[in-house]
Amino acid sequence: DVEMTNNEQTPLNVDAGATYTRSEESQQPTENGMQICEDLSTQSWRQEAQGTLQMFFNKRMMILSPLFFYTGFNQPYQQATFGNRFFTRRTIGAELIIFHLMEIVGAIVCGRFLDREDRTSGDTNRKKRAIACLLAFVIINSTGNVLAAMQENAATQNTITSLAHDIADPSVISPSLAFACWGFADAQIQVYCYWLMGSFYSSGSEHSRAVGWYKCVQSLGTSIGFYLIHYLLQ
């Protein structure tokens, strides 16, 4: 294997499963004068890629893969298909603001809920928070899907007037609520996935490879979602 230079190495946390080197050049002072030293993996990119693909045989990652897949699969319909069909051009910009604003809110609320410290700490409370977060996602995301299904049903029965809602029309409220629910749920489930990976792999190369596998499966879901849009609109 080709030996990597310092500039090509990947910063990782300390982990017993990989070989690391510590460089003086990586020690940089912070504003308060503290020294931060990065541990760099000496493994080649081929080894890192192979380790990421081996996550396919990891039981935890296999169980979570459908969830990873959904985080990418849902967005092509939500933002590209639903948004472009049911909103006018001047309205879609406002709707995307609503979507991403609710993503920010969802990320903050979900992150603080999952990481909050109870008086009686333990795995039991963590499991309860994880289950509660997942149930909340199902409810909020399903609410957005029901609102979208109502729009789709109305569209199949209406062949005369335009399907697109304008920001000045009261009818825009229902699809806007669908966008708000989807934005909150999207950030919620992604924070949930990262929280689970952080719980399973606290540091090191295994954690970075788990995140790499998550992004691979998520991208696969996005690609298939965009591919299916063509058949959905026929």
Side-chain angles (χ1 to χ4, degrees), residues 15 30 32 38 58 70 94 111 126 128 154 162 172 197 220 227:
D15 183 77
T30 59
N32 57 8
E38 293 181 341
N58 185 292
Y70 179 78
R126 289 175 60 86
K128 289 181 179 179
S162 173
V172 78
M197 288 184 288
L220 177 63
Y227 177 78

Side-chain angles (χ1 to χ4, degrees), residues 27-89:
Q27 296 183 2
Q28 298 179 353
T30 59
E31 294 181 357
N32 57 8
M34 295 179 62
Q35 294 286 335
I36 297 179
C37 184
E38 293 181 341
D39 293 300
L40 305 177
S41 172
T42 57
Q43 295 183 343
S44 68
W45 68 268
R46 292 184 182 87
Q47 292 172 315
E48 293 291 348
Q50 183 180 4
T52 300
L53 293 177
Q54 286 176 348
M55 285 290 175
F56 180 80
F57 302 101
N58 185 292
K59 183 179 179 180
R60 285 174 172 173
M61 290 296 102
M62 286 303 299
I63 294 175
L64 291 176
S65 287
L67 194 60
F68 295 167
F69 181 88
Y70 179 78
T71 61
F73 182 76
N74 61 346
Q75 291 200 17
Y77 170 76
Q78 292 175 356
Q79 297 193 33
T81 307
F82 183 85
N84 290 332
R85 289 175 63 210
F86 294 104
F87 298 111
T88 61
R89 287 190 175 183

Side-chain angles (χ1 to χ4, degrees), residues 1-12 18-21 23 39-49 209:
D1 293 334
V2 179
E3 186 175 352
M4 301 176 66
T5 63
N6 287 337
N7 293 332
E8 295 172 331
Q9 291 170 337
T10 307
L12 297 169
T19 305
Y20 300 92
T21 182
S23 171
D39 293 300
L40 305 177
S41 172
T42 57
Q43 295 183 343
S44 68
W45 68 268
R46 292 184 182 87
Q47 292 172 315
E48 293 291 348
R209 290 167 183 170

Side-chain angles (χ1 to χ4, degrees), residues 98-109:
I98 293 174
F99 184 92
H100 293 293
L101 180 62
M102 292 305 296
E103 277 198 321
I104 296 173
V105 175
I108 294 173
V109 171

